[in-house]
């Protein structure tokens, strides 16, 4: 099982968000080829602007492991994390972050510029399904207009 | 009722965290002189490094109001927010943030430098009970050594 397999799972989560009328972003947390946490945007349903895919997937992973750190885990997320989620990922000491689509407007880079907000040991890469993730976001915001 | 009154309530939350063996930080969210959300650090108990005082107080305020924005509310927090909490406060569009003690090591400034991560309309001030908040943090970390 590879990045493609797990990003497809994150994209499945994003599609669930889309169907629920939520900004379509999804995430899974993987450790030793096993999904230990998953989530999608739930801001509208929970009336809670902190209910991002990554936050939900992280909390679900902490619960699965009974640990508050994720040094050996990888987060797959369909869109580059925002500042809040970047801060949460920092605290989690997560081993690796794979995102599909960059987000020029809302990513953590808006506030950090050239500085990395992540833990020094966290690896960050742009992974598969960029076009599919962007397309889903675009379709969502077009239908909202 | 003034900043002193509400920061004292946040400090009460921080003391609860201290008694629970949690990093002693507390927060309350106030709107029209009413506390609509409160929380303290719960990272150890929940095994969740995202369970910061501010996150819990914000989610509690969203639930109280049934709204995902807090334009007319003020957050009182005993220690300057970290990057994750700053990002959450950004999304909440909170009207005002009052913190007691600065945090050179862990505040959002570590990653943002001179840039403000907050919403342009959010007011940020240093408020009362700085010494008490610092003292509580110091006592906590000294007993841990």
């Amino acid at each position: 099982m590879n990045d493609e397999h797990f990003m497809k799972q994150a994209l499945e989560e994003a599609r669930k968000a889309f169907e629920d009328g939520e900004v379509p972003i999804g995430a899974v947390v993987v450790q030793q080829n096993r999904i230990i946490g998953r989530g999608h945007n739930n801001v509208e349903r929970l009336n809670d602007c902190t209910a991002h895919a990554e936050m939900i997937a992280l909390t679900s992973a902490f619960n699965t492991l009974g640990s508050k750190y994720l040094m050996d885990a990888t987060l797959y997320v369909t869109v580059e994390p925002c500042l809040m989620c970047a801060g949460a990922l920092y605290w989690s000491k997560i081993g690796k972050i794979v995102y599909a689509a960059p987000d020029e407007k809302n990513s953590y880079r808006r506030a950090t510029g050239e500085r990395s907000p992540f833990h020094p040991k966290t690896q960050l890469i742009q992974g598969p399904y960029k076009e599919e993730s962007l397309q889903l976001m675009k379709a969502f915001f077009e239908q909202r207009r």
Side-chain angles (χ1 to χ4, degrees), chain A:
Chain A
M1 288 194 274
N2 54 16
D3 283 359
E4 203 143 320
H5 172 81
F6 290 118
M7 191 62 85
K8 203 169 175 183
Q9 292 293 310
L11 200 54
E12 275 311 303
E13 286 293 323
R15 292 203 175 103
K16 285 186 212 164
F18 185 92
E19 282 160 27
D20 292 349
E22 303 275 356
V23 175
I25 302 178
V28 297
V29 178
V30 174
Q31 186 162 304
Q32 292 181 313
N33 274 327
R34 194 165 68 93
I35 292 178
I36 58 170
R38 58 193 309 151
H40 58 74
N41 222 316
N42 239 319
V43 166
E44 303 302 328
R45 192 172 67 82
L46 297 178
N47 259 325
D48 183 342
C49 65
T50 71
H52 285 195
E54 299 94 316
M55 302 299 284
I56 294 166
L58 283 176
T59 293
S60 144
F62 299 135
N63 286 338
T64 303
L65 295 183
S67 159
K68 61 179 195 279
Y69 298 122
L70 300 170
M71 273 92 89
D72 300 320
T74 299
L75 176 91
Y76 292 86
V77 59
T78 57
V79 176
E80 205 182 4
C82 76
L83 194 69
M84 170 183 69
C85 294
L89 288 159
Y90 166 79
W91 289 118
S92 79
K93 302 183 180 171
I94 197 156
K96 191 172 169 185
I97 300 165
V98 185
Y99 67 92
D103 185 345
E104 296 307 326
K105 193 170 160 233
N106 287 315
S107 95
Y108 63 88
R109 289 180 285 124
R110 178 186 58 82
T112 62
E114 294 303 305
R115 301 183 195 214
S116 167
F118 302 109
H119 193 272
K121 289 196 178 158
T122 298
Q123 208 193 326
L124 176 73
I125 66 165
Q126 199 269 314
Y129 290 109
K130 174 181 166 185
E131 287 312 319
E132 290 79 354
S133 301
L134 283 176
Q135 198 48 50
L136 197 60
M137 291 287 274
K138 204 177 149 206
F140 179 80
F141 287 108
E142 272 174 3
Q143 95 182 356
R144 291 266 138 168
R145 257 186 233 143

